[in-house]
Amino acid sequence: MNKEIKDKSWHEVVIIKDGTRACGSGGVLGNSPLVQNKSYFEVKLQQSGIWGVGLATRNTNLNSAPGGNDAESWVFCFDGVLRHNKKELQGVTKRATEGDVIGISFNHIELNFYINGICLDAPITGIRGTVYPAIYVDDGAIMDIILDNFVYAPPNGFQKIMVEQSLL
């Protein structure tokens, strides 16, 4: 958000707070792809509900939460499950609750998730294509994206999403 997560969303998602908060029903993508080698961003869970955070391509289905329902999205969901293509990739032992900050790091080899700075140690690999930050909300969930001034330090070598610019 923050001018990043506004570009493509389902019509039932509401983007407020200068483009940093998602609520309503469905999914929203950032408008800047993750092009650098080591990208990091955070999402704060303001209110519980059905939600998912992670990465997706422009071809993902944004009409349902929590995401991970097609071959175009890879998400960590409200129920502690990592999902992709309607499959549970793995469950994790920790779930995020209201007030928690979920970190997302991606280096084009692994996608990793963190809760309050602690790595979930459940990497997702095999991600192909141009991907964007993705947030899915439903059933009252409210999520804020944090694109800089992070609450927790990014993993070593990771940094905020760089906006690609063309000189020509």
Side-chain angles (χ1 to χ4, degrees), residues 16-39:
I16 56 175
K17 286 188 67 179
D18 293 325
T20 61
R21 178 167 286 176
C23 52
S25 180
V28 63
L29 292 181
N31 60 15
S32 293
L34 304 184
V35 294
Q36 78 237 44
N37 287 337
K38 294 183 174 183
S39 304

Side-chain angles (χ1 to χ4, degrees), residues 33-49:
L34 304 184
V35 294
Q36 78 237 44
N37 287 337
K38 294 183 174 183
S39 304
Y40 181 80
F41 65 99
E42 294 175 334
V43 177
K44 184 171 185 177
L45 179 57
Q46 294 290 358
Q47 184 171 302
S48 294

